[in-house]
Amino acid sequence: MKIKTLRLILGDQLNSQHSWFESVNQDVIYVMMEMRQETDYVTHHIQKIVGFLVAMRQFAEELKQRGHQVAYITLDDEINTQSLPQNLLWLIQELDIQQFEYLLPDEYRLDLQLKDFCHNLSIPSKAIDSEHFLSQREELATFFKGKETFLMENFYRMMRKKYKVLMDGDEPTSGQWNYDADNRKKLPKDHRPIEPLIFSKNVEDIVQLLSQSGVSSIGNIDAKNFLWPTTHQESLVLLDFFLENCLAQFGTYEDAMHPSYWSIYHSRLSFSLNLKLLHPLEVIQKSVEYWEQHQDTITIAQIEGFVRQILGWREYMRGIYWAKMPEFATMNFFGHDRKLPSWFWSGQTKMACLRHAITQSLDYAYAHHIQRLMLTGNFMLLAGIHPDDADAWYLGIYIDAIEWVEITNTRGMSQYADGGIIGSKPYVGSANYIDKMSHYCGTCFYDKNKKTGDKACPFNSLYWHFFERNRSLLEKNPRIGMSYITLNKMATTQRQELLKQADFYLEHIEKL
């Protein structure tokens, strides 16, 4: 007897290569839904919501063209309760479903919601692997069993060996595992990076739908020229563009920041990867093959830096997420409790670096990892912003932000709220670091060279204020020793002036 099965596909599970789709079965109905449950759990960037909905609709259409049965519930569908469990129950009853299946979600809240739903369901149900990630949910926890800190480099090397990427037997190609030290250069003064490849699709209907439905959002959008890839094919085009035009310079300038260039040599594939439009192994293998054919123009430092982001960092962050949730979402090592300044939502600050990074984020729903870590994140940490506020901002503003990757980067790497599970030290810096890696300081209202007094760069005094107020938590950290040696050598009056300057800036944080 044939069993009528309902299979759920979430908005970040658009993996056309999944084994589910290898054969067509008319007794299987795939369901996809646009829900206020998902648009509203945090205030998202308008481009993020639009990107998800466009990609979902195109994916559903692709499945239909391949002969699959698809039930698609739009945001304004009259039967849409805007709740995942309620919509599923209605479909199960309406379509006389005898079995329910779903792909394992990558967010803890959805994992819990679907487990609860299935627990109370009167028909059989089962969860299937999404067949996307290169490590299992529990693999990292098993790998680091008994360890207090989870060193990414160790996990990365294991993954390199497991997938035989850039390896000669058990040894790394060229004899060196990591070229991060080679990849920290500022853009030369007259250097012009390649113009980024952008797509241009009309999404006015989706924008109108969101407006009519009352969905709140942040950021800006050119509804006639939506710039992000939303299909597997478009994502491959963006990958090819990166390999042909950006990879040769990617590693060298991956940490560089510039007010005139929002993309520089970054791939911008994270949105496609996180929606599963691209498979990580597909990206890695294609990239390594391209490098192998162009070693005369592309050094190993470039390809290794790119591979590390996907095979190392991305898999590592997901592993941390499943090893430490839900406790991770409440960690606040420093006890920070300051509210995020309102200008984080407008970009209207006199600090040139933050004005550019935030404005760029509002315009493109994108900023690269150093802008996120050493500009916006750096300021939040120095200013003592509550990690909940940091999470809400990062999760909302970036098109590639899904909790499993956002919260581990934000609460762990950026804010050190986990007390050192991910990073061995807090990543903070003064104006000196920002000027070393960018071209912001020359046009700033504040003076990068001044630590106190009129127009002194806020990063300078906040940097020392951070270390002074957290002395009991950080002074014994071996990776921060030099900062406390310098602080202890300061004349008492100089230290007091720095702390007074920082207190003034924190008191007037809304006016910075």
Side-chain angles (χ1 to χ4, degrees), residues 221-238:
I221 190 170
D222 179 353
K224 293 181 179 178
N225 297 286
F226 185 69
L227 61 94
W228 293 96
T230 52
T231 66
H232 179 239
Q233 198 55 46
E234 287 177 352
S235 302
L236 287 175
V237 169
L238 186 58

Side-chain angles (χ1 to χ4, degrees), residues 192-193 195 257-264 356 360 439-440:
R192 288 183 63 86
E195 285 293 316
M257 300 174 283
H258 197 288
S260 301
Y261 311 113
W262 69 278
S263 181
I264 307 185
H356 175 259
Q360 175 188 304
H439 294 264
Y440 297 124

Side-chain angles (χ1 to χ4, degrees), residues 332 334-338 380-381 384-387 466 469-470:
N332 188 357
F334 295 115
H336 284 166
D337 59 2
R338 187 169 276 105
M380 289 182 196
L381 182 52
I385 303 301
H386 197 295
F466 169 80
R469 73 174 186 264
N470 293 306

Side-chain angles (χ1 to χ4, degrees), residues 284-458:
I284 291 166
Q285 289 173 342
K286 195 166 188 181
S287 302
V288 171
E289 283 171 16
Y290 189 87
W291 166 74
E292 287 172 344
Q293 295 160 11
H294 298 84
Q295 292 186 52
D296 54 331
T297 54
I298 304 173
T299 67
I300 192 167
Q302 318 301 323
I303 185 65
E304 187 279 320
F306 184 61
V307 164
R308 186 169 4 106
Q309 285 192 344
I310 300 172
L311 185 60
W313 198 249
R314 187 171 184 266
E315 295 287 330
Y316 169 76
M317 284 303 194
R318 176 178 177 260
I320 295 280
Y321 183 78
W322 287 109
K324 297 297 180 181
M325 284 294 282
E327 297 80 13
F328 199 88
T330 63
M331 290 180 177
N332 188 357
F333 179 70
F334 295 115
H336 284 166
D337 59 2
R338 187 169 276 105
K339 296 296 294 177
L340 192 68
S342 60
W343 45 261
F344 260 84
W345 305 98
S346 69
Q348 293 175 3
T349 169
K350 296 191 285 288
M351 289 176 279
C353 59
L354 286 174
R355 182 172 66 247
H356 175 259
I358 294 168
T359 302
Q360 175 188 304
S361 301
L362 292 167
D363 286 345
Y364 295 101
Y366 174 82
H368 72 65
H369 65 285
I370 295 299
Q371 290 175 303
R372 300 188 200 194
L373 178 66
M374 297 307 297
L375 294 183
T376 51
N378 184 14
F379 182 85
M380 289 182 196
L381 182 52
L382 295 179
I385 303 301
H386 197 295
D388 286 354
D389 277 18
D391 276 337
W393 189 81
Y394 281 104
L395 187 56
I397 203 165
Y398 292 120
I399 195 163
D400 56 10
I402 300 171
E403 191 188 59
W404 66 267
V405 69
E406 172 277 320
I407 200 170
T408 44
N409 273 288
T410 299
R411 215 171 263 262
M413 184 70 173
S414 172
Q415 299 305 294
Y416 202 76
D418 63 354
I421 295 169
I422 291 173
S424 55
K425 66 170 184 176
Y427 280 86
V428 290
S430 63
N432 183 50
Y433 172 84
I434 295 167
D435 190 44
K436 188 172 82 173
M437 293 309 303
S438 76
H439 294 264
Y440 297 124
C441 297
T443 58
C444 190
F445 169 85
Y446 295 103
D447 186 340
K448 66 180 182 183
N449 297 313
K450 290 184 72 174
K451 294 180 174 63
T452 57
D454 186 43
K455 296 187 178 180
C457 175

Side-chain angles (χ1 to χ4, degrees), residues 490-497:
M490 281 184 194
T492 304
T493 52
Q494 183 187 4
R495 191 186 311 145
Q496 287 173 343
E497 282 178 16

